[in-house]
């Protein structure tokens, strides 16, 4: 289990042995994180408030940043359709990223800024995003 928050440090924890302060398996600076994370296997996709979201590998009881997403992509990521979907709240943009490299596969303008902490929801082949003006559905998820 990975925990990250306002102080910018990520802590790898054993979910079956939460003994308290100092009992983490590993600790590393990742970013100040706000919002929900997404996980696939040992890789955790962390919503970073600056510098873009981070893909973090936790294999072997370590915490290692693999890549960072676009700098403005600060929202909570979701996984689906073979991609990482992450929003840029201020610009009203949804990024589709390669889960392996963070390469931008698509950058989709949503026509409106997003509320802070907005996260895409996936349903079938749709990515649904709440904006300040309603909900936008993007096909291809």
């Amino acid at each position: 289990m990975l925990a990250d928050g306002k102080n910018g440090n990520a802590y790898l924890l054993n979910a079956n042995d939460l003994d308290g302060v100092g009992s983490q398996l590993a600790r590393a600076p990742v970013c100040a994180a706000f919002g929900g994370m997404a996980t696939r296997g040992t890789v955790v996709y962390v919503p970073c408030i600056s510098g873009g979201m981070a893909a973090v590998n936790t294999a072997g009881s370590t915490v290692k940043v693999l890549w960072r997403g676009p700098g403005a992509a600060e929202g909570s990521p979701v996984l689906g359709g073979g991609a990482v979907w992450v929003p840029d709240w201020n610009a009203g943009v949804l990024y589709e990223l390669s889960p392996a490299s963070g390469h931008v596969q698509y950058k989709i303008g949503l026509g409106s800024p997003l509320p802070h902490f907005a996260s895409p929801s996936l349903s079938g082949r749709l990515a649904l995003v709440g904006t300040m003006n309603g909900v936008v559905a993007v096909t291809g998820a």
Side-chain angles (χ1 to χ4, degrees), residues 4-78:
D4 194 342
K6 294 178 185 179
N7 74 2
N9 290 309
Y11 299 89
L12 184 60
L13 308 171
N14 179 343
N16 296 317
D17 188 17
L18 299 173
D19 287 335
V21 175
S23 65
Q24 69 269 4
L25 300 172
R27 175 181 156 249
V30 173
C31 67
F34 291 81
M37 300 179 199
T39 304
R40 176 162 291 138
T42 60
V43 178
V44 181
Y45 301 92
V46 180
C48 299
I49 199 65
S50 65
M53 59 145 293
V56 178
N57 191 351
T58 61
S61 295
T62 62
V63 176
K64 179 182 176 188
V65 175
L66 299 173
W67 53 261
R68 299 294 296 259
E74 301 173 345
S76 295
V78 295

Side-chain angles (χ1 to χ4, degrees), residues 87-95 108-114 129 131 136:
D88 170 349
W89 303 318
N90 295 320
V93 170
L94 181 62
Y95 289 93
I108 305 155
L110 302 174
S112 172
L114 310 178
V129 184
T131 71
V136 174

